[in-house]
Amino acid sequence: MSARVVITGLGLITPLGIGVEPSWQNLLAGKSGIGPITRFPSDGFDTTIAGEVPGFKPEDFIPAKLARRTDLFSQFALAAAVLAVQDAGLEITPELSPQVGTIVGCGLGGLNTLEKYHTILLDKGPRKVSPFFIPMLIANMAPGLVAMHFGARGPNTSTVTACASGAHAIGDAFKIIQRGSAKVMITGGVEAVITPLAIAGFNAMKALSTRNDEPQRASRPFDRDRDGFVVGEGGGILVLEELEFARRREAKIYGEIIGYGMSGDAYHMTAPSPDGAGAVLCVEQALEDARISIDEVDYINAHGTSTPLNDLSETLALKKVFGPRAYQIPISATKSMTGHLLGGAGAIEAVFTVLSLQQGILPPTINYENPDPQCDLDYVPNQPREMPVRIAMSNSFGFGGTNAVLVLKRFE
């Protein structure tokens, strides 16, 4: 029999705040974390807005010397992990260390570092490139640094599956504990790509909103007038534990992970399958893994990016899986307030979903003003909703047609 896996620690660094409580309270208040880009001069870019983390200082979480030798995405991972492990009240002793693993997902890795040192290479020559360039850049440095910080010597890897990276990381960590290969996993996702090259690249794809004069109204999932997503930064980390281990140390338990689905669209590099076939398969796999019926799902945190194609594809997929019941399940798209954290999105949305289960409150989908006749489900428009939730899903779908769905349950 597979081990039960519970969630005992949460850490968030988001455009809505540093820490779980400020991020969660601003989310429930319907506040947007989107504003003008300050990280670089964005004049001349089609998009000049993003979801930056306000007031983040890596030295508040890690030594200044380490901060100088790490990219922003790794700093977000370390900071969120520090918060999550503190929240879990977990002491990682030398005896426990081999049973504690780390998986952190990331879409693009250290793009800030790549752009910086490419400019230095061109302007000053190869001898001016730092010996820390490669270690700062590579995506798996996020879980590597988290493991070093805590002395976690168990399973260690990174998922790089675009916008599904964080959800895949959590799902893989869930399976590692479930099969008995670790007692504890520190897991989640991060992203830090509010950079000139990333914004230019997404603009070239016509993927981003250009509602620059109304940044807080720009991300509008499922609304008729949505025009693309808004890049966000930050990340979320969760501490997962095998249930009996958590019970023995009398840990606080937020909720339980009971199902994980993963699938591929096999359709297009960036567009989702028009009929939602890949998402349908992923949701069905997650429900089967959780051993629950469609009637048991009370709530869904949608991928909901605010792009015309994605929101429609996800809506069609939910209708195919749930049938008429799709209209009875409330669906939040929290990217309407955080922007799209890409590799970090699935992780912060898993944290929000856990809090909805625990507290019985559903975050709103803000900027839902003009219904799209083709997106006609209950998207919890503009106001939070109090409602008991026993089982919830969190969806993540990424470029390359890579899909991940987590099924979470209130702890009983």
Side-chain angles (χ1 to χ4, degrees), residues 244-280:
E244 295 309 317
F245 176 82
R247 278 180 166 157
R248 283 196 296 275
R249 70 179 196 89
E250 299 181 344
K252 162 185 60 184
I253 295 177
Y254 284 98
E256 182 173 2
I257 301 184
I258 60 171
Y260 173 40
M262 54 194 305
S263 73
D265 282 1
Y267 172 72
H268 190 272
M269 290 174 67
T270 56
S273 53
D275 59 357
V280 168

Side-chain angles (χ1 to χ4, degrees), residues 229-248:
F229 71 83
V230 179
V231 176
E233 65 178 8
I237 297 291
L238 302 86
V239 176
L240 309 186
E241 298 187 37
E242 188 270 324
L243 173 60
E244 295 309 317
F245 176 82
R247 278 180 166 157
R248 283 196 296 275

Side-chain angles (χ1 to χ4, degrees), residues 22 132 142 161 237 254 284 299 309 321 338 355 364 367 380 386:
F132 290 99
T161 51
I237 297 291
Y254 284 98
E284 288 177 341
Y299 167 66
L309 292 179
V321 173
T338 64
L355 294 172
N367 300 321
V380 193
E386 292 190 16

Side-chain angles (χ1 to χ4, degrees), residues 70-389:
T70 50
D71 188 274
L72 185 58
F73 86 99
S74 292
Q75 296 168 5
F76 285 152
L78 282 161
V82 166
L83 293 173
V85 173
Q86 286 177 351
D87 185 43
L90 180 68
E91 181 185 1
I92 302 174
T93 63
E95 292 75 22
L96 178 61
S97 169
Q99 286 296 317
V100 181
T102 308
I103 304 180
V104 180
C106 182
L108 287 164
L111 202 56
N112 285 280
T113 297
L114 177 64
E115 293 185 34
K116 174 183 174 181
Y117 283 104
H118 186 246
T119 300
I120 288 175
L121 172 68
L122 296 179
D123 292 347
K124 299 180 180 178
R127 294 184 182 277
K128 294 297 182 182
V129 174
S130 167
F132 290 99
F133 166 60
I134 295 296
M136 291 171 72
L137 169 70
I138 54 179
N140 69 302
M141 195 51 64
L145 288 166
V146 171
M148 289 176 224
H149 186 82
F150 294 105
R153 295 171 48 233
N156 189 293
T157 187
S158 180
T159 51
V160 184
T161 51
C163 309
S165 301
H168 275 139
I170 296 167
D172 290 352
F174 160 59
K175 289 298 174 184
I176 285 173
I177 296 176
Q178 199 178 55
R179 69 173 184 252
S181 297
K183 295 293 185 189
V184 181
M185 292 296 295
I186 304 167
T187 184
V190 291
E191 202 72 272
V193 294
I194 302 177
T195 73
L197 194 57
I199 298 298
F202 284 124
N203 271 155
M205 295 168 59
K206 307 295 183 188
L208 299 184
S209 171
T210 56
R211 200 182 291 262
N212 297 317
D213 55 342
E214 298 180 301
Q216 297 189 343
R217 298 181 65 211
S219 183
R220 41 196 322 112
F222 303 108
D223 184 85
R224 182 195 63 195
D225 297 330
R226 63 191 184 276
D227 70 331
F229 71 83
V230 179
V231 176
E233 65 178 8
I237 297 291
L238 302 86
V239 176
L240 309 186
E241 298 187 37
E242 188 270 324
L243 173 60
E244 295 309 317
F245 176 82
R247 278 180 166 157
R248 283 196 296 275
R249 70 179 196 89
E250 299 181 344
K252 162 185 60 184
I253 295 177
Y254 284 98
E256 182 173 2
I257 301 184
I258 60 171
Y260 173 40
M262 54 194 305
S263 73
D265 282 1
Y267 172 72
H268 190 272
M269 290 174 67
T270 56
S273 53
D275 59 357
V280 168
L281 179 60
C282 195
V283 172
E284 288 177 341
Q285 288 182 349
L287 296 176
E288 182 178 351
D289 189 48
R291 300 181 180 180
I292 61 171
S293 73
I294 60 171
D295 294 326
E296 294 180 84
V297 176
D298 299 314
Y299 167 66
I300 298 170
N301 188 301
H303 186 56
T305 58
S306 184
T307 63
L309 292 179
N310 180 275
D311 292 358
L312 176 58
S313 174
E314 185 170 14
T315 298
L316 292 174
L318 294 176
K319 289 181 182 178
K320 286 190 176 181
V321 173
F322 291 96
R325 193 161 182 278
Y327 292 88
Q328 302 168 358
I329 303 174
I331 301 165
S332 297
T334 48
K335 291 183 179 73
S336 59
M337 291 163 277
T338 64
H340 190 353
L341 273 68
L342 309 173
I348 67 164
E349 288 159 17
V351 172
F352 294 151
T353 306
V354 170
L355 294 172
S356 292
L357 285 165
Q358 186 204 33
Q359 300 183 16
I361 307 175
L362 313 182
T365 302
I366 71 165
N367 300 321
Y368 186 81
E369 298 168 340
N370 302 300
D372 179 344
Q374 294 184 289
C375 296
D376 55 353
L377 302 179
D378 175 8
Y379 303 111
V380 193
N382 301 311
Q383 297 293 328
R385 185 181 303 172
E386 292 190 16
M387 188 189 111
V389 179

